[in-house]
Amino acid sequence: MAASSARQPLLVQWANRDRAAWEAVLQSGRRRVSSILSDAMPARLAAHLLTDAGVDAETTVAHLDRATRKRLLTALVEFPLPWTGDEGYKKAEVTGGGVALGEIDPVTMESRRHPGLYLCGEILDAFGPIGGHNFLWAWTTGRAAGIAAGDSTP
């Protein structure tokens, strides 16, 4: 099968809830939407998703109209991450910093601070020269995180 040259979308589900679970949470109630989102993810991410969906942080669940709720649901479970490509191997480099290795479970790559969030590759604080070792790190941690995340879904 020939490889497609069309850019593939990268869609992110931000929390360990699918669309149906979020719909149930966002159907009724007096709580602010920002509080509900902040319970499931970092507050800064919740604030960004609310802004992207056009939802005021002070809005309560009861005051979400259907169109706004739909935009918010899409932001929560199918958020399109923009990307433009890469600059190739000659410009590849490994960066230091990121999430401390002590903050993840080394077997599952699950965050100890945010259960249900799986981290891998260069988002973690592991670095070195480009080449095989870092590719192996990215593939290995990615595989471990993917398997664990797949095992954790209902």
Side-chain angles (χ1 to χ4, degrees):
M1 179 156 91
S4 172
S5 61
R7 184 182 318 171
Q8 297 299 309
L10 181 59
L11 303 176
V12 177
Q13 178 178 319
W14 291 111
N16 198 19
R17 287 184 181 145
D18 62 10
R19 181 177 289 272
W22 276 115
E23 282 177 353
V25 170
L26 297 175
Q27 281 302 317
S28 63
R30 297 178 186 205
R31 287 188 69 197
R32 289 180 308 165
V33 179
S34 58
S35 296
I36 293 171
L37 268 59
S38 293
D39 288 346
M41 63 190 65
R44 285 178 51 195
L45 175 58
H48 176 78
L49 294 174
L50 288 171
T51 299
D52 190 76
V55 180
D56 183 279
E58 298 301 314
T59 302
T60 61
V61 172
H63 288 96
L64 281 176
D65 62 50
R66 187 176 187 168
T68 304
R69 184 178 294 107
K70 187 174 179 179
R71 283 195 314 273
L72 181 57
L73 287 168
T74 298
L76 290 166
V77 299
E78 297 175 6
F79 189 87
L81 279 183
W83 64 280
T84 58
D86 63 68
E87 296 185 24
Y89 185 78
K90 289 185 184 249
K91 293 233 177 185
E93 50 185 79
V94 180
T95 58
V99 176
L101 297 179
E103 293 185 11
I104 61 159
D105 178 323
V107 174
T108 64
M109 309 310 292
E110 183 175 20
S111 169
R112 295 182 197 276
R113 294 179 65 187
H114 299 284
L117 176 64
Y118 297 84
L119 307 164
C120 61
E122 290 187 30
I123 197 167
L124 299 168
D125 188 18
F127 63 96
I130 62 171
H133 297 290
N134 289 309
F135 289 142
L136 181 61
W137 169 256
W139 295 326
T140 304
T141 58
R143 183 174 192 275
I147 290 170
D151 288 345
S152 74
T153 57

